[in-house]
Amino acid sequence: MQISYRTAWLPKNGCAIDEYEDAFSPLQATADAGKEFRCAVADGATETSFSGLWAKILCDGYVSGQTCMATLQNQWLEQVSTLNLPWYAEQKLESGAYAAFVFLSLRQEGAHISWTAEAIGDCCLFHVQDGKLVKSFPIETWQDFNNSPLLMASRADRNEEALAAVKNAGGKCKAGDLFYLMSDAISNWFLRKHAEDGDAVEALTKVKEQSALEELCAKQRTLKDSDGRALMPNDDVTVVQIAITSC
């Protein structure tokens, strides 16, 4: 299985690079993906402590095959426990960190390729085939985005509802297909543009490098709809594109 893999990301407008709280994995990939290729995007909740770290641990864990949530939660706790924090920050740590995620696995099965995905929250996967959007997961319309998605916590005692709510999807794909994994702000924008203008796939395929994403977000964050809301919310943005070049 041969793939082309590229990423682009940027923090909220007005924030420094080290304030970026999304995550993705792997950072890069070889063209020869072998029999299975895994990738992931996660979005750390800004209002919780060290959520960017938690998002990164979730992504790296999935891609490496370490999917035991208790193990990942212990990794987060071990890393934050070594930090010298003021008392109020230590108290906030008791609540843990939270993140949305979407994971994708591509598997070679003889002459065919199958895909499986799992997600919680509002990071999204988009499957494009023959230039058309054929799957949007786990959110299907832009109106379904809200300010309180269910998220995965770094604290085991806060995760019962989230673990039960993880969604799964899958199907077949072929050479020439594209998959996008994206965090919530640009996923919201993409689904709205797809519904209202019908050219969202074309617009997204033009994002082939970092500068193209920066230009796109700079424009869409300033444009307003009829209610005065920005067409793209000012949030961290991550786009991972996986193109299947051959089976």
Side-chain angles (χ1 to χ4, degrees):
M1 178 171 57
Q2 300 284 318
I3 65 162
S4 170
Y5 175 87
R6 60 172 175 252
T7 63
W9 60 271
L10 68 157
K12 303 173 188 68
N13 189 31
C15 291
I17 290 176
D18 60 4
E19 295 177 278
Y20 170 77
E21 293 174 311
D22 283 359
F24 59 91
S25 189
L27 299 183
Q28 57 186 3
T30 61
D32 185 359
K35 295 295 185 181
E36 182 181 17
F37 174 74
R38 288 187 170 201
C39 57
V41 164
D43 177 6
T46 299
E47 64 274 11
T48 62
S49 295
F50 301 101
S51 61
L53 172 63
W54 177 230
K56 181 63 173 170
I57 287 172
L58 286 168
C59 288
D60 289 346
Y62 176 77
V63 170
S64 68
Q66 176 54 267
T67 57
C68 173
M69 194 57 62
T71 299
L72 301 179
Q73 289 165 338
N74 285 335
Q75 287 181 23
W76 180 86
L77 183 59
E78 288 173 0
Q79 293 189 47
V80 299
S81 295
T82 63
L83 302 174
N84 185 17
L85 301 172
W87 64 269
Y88 55 85
E90 289 184 348
Q91 285 189 333
K92 193 174 182 181
L93 277 181
E94 293 298 315
S95 298
Y98 291 78
F101 64 73
V102 59
F103 300 152
L104 170 67
S105 170
L106 299 173
R107 293 187 180 89
Q108 182 83 52
E109 296 177 347
H112 304 284
I113 298 174
S114 65
W115 67 270
T116 57
E118 56 185 285
I120 190 166
D122 47 14
C123 291
C124 291
L125 172 150
F126 302 107
H127 181 190
V128 175
Q129 190 171 80
D130 299 326
K132 297 180 180 180
L133 179 65
V134 295
K135 182 67 176 180
S136 174
F137 169 78
I139 296 178
E140 296 184 349
T141 68
W142 69 271
Q143 294 95 334
D144 291 332
F145 287 89
N146 59 64
N147 293 325
S148 56
L150 192 59
L151 305 174
M152 192 64 69
S154 62
R155 289 281 303 271
D157 59 349
R158 298 172 182 266
N159 252 354
E160 183 177 354
E161 185 179 3
L163 287 170
V166 173
K167 296 181 179 181
N168 296 275
K172 301 293 184 182
C173 49
K174 62 181 182 178
D177 285 9
L178 298 173
F179 286 91
Y180 291 93
L181 303 186
M182 305 196 298
S183 50
D184 62 327
I186 193 165
S187 293
N188 186 333
W189 167 84
F190 175 81
L191 283 174
R192 182 169 186 171
K193 187 170 181 59
H194 178 70
E196 296 180 350
D197 301 330
D199 61 349
V201 170
E202 180 183 356
L204 199 56
T205 54
K206 294 179 180 178
V207 180
K208 297 181 179 180
E209 54 190 20
Q210 181 70 25
S211 60
L213 180 65
E214 292 172 358
E215 181 179 347
L216 172 69
C217 292
K219 181 178 180 179
Q220 299 302 319
R221 284 169 172 173
T222 57
L223 292 177
K224 308 291 184 181
D225 64 15
S226 59
D227 295 321
R229 296 173 298 186
L231 294 183
M232 184 183 295
N234 183 27
D235 198 359
D236 296 332
V237 167
T238 303
V239 178
V240 171
Q241 184 203 75
I242 308 95
I244 302 174
T245 56
S246 67
C247 297

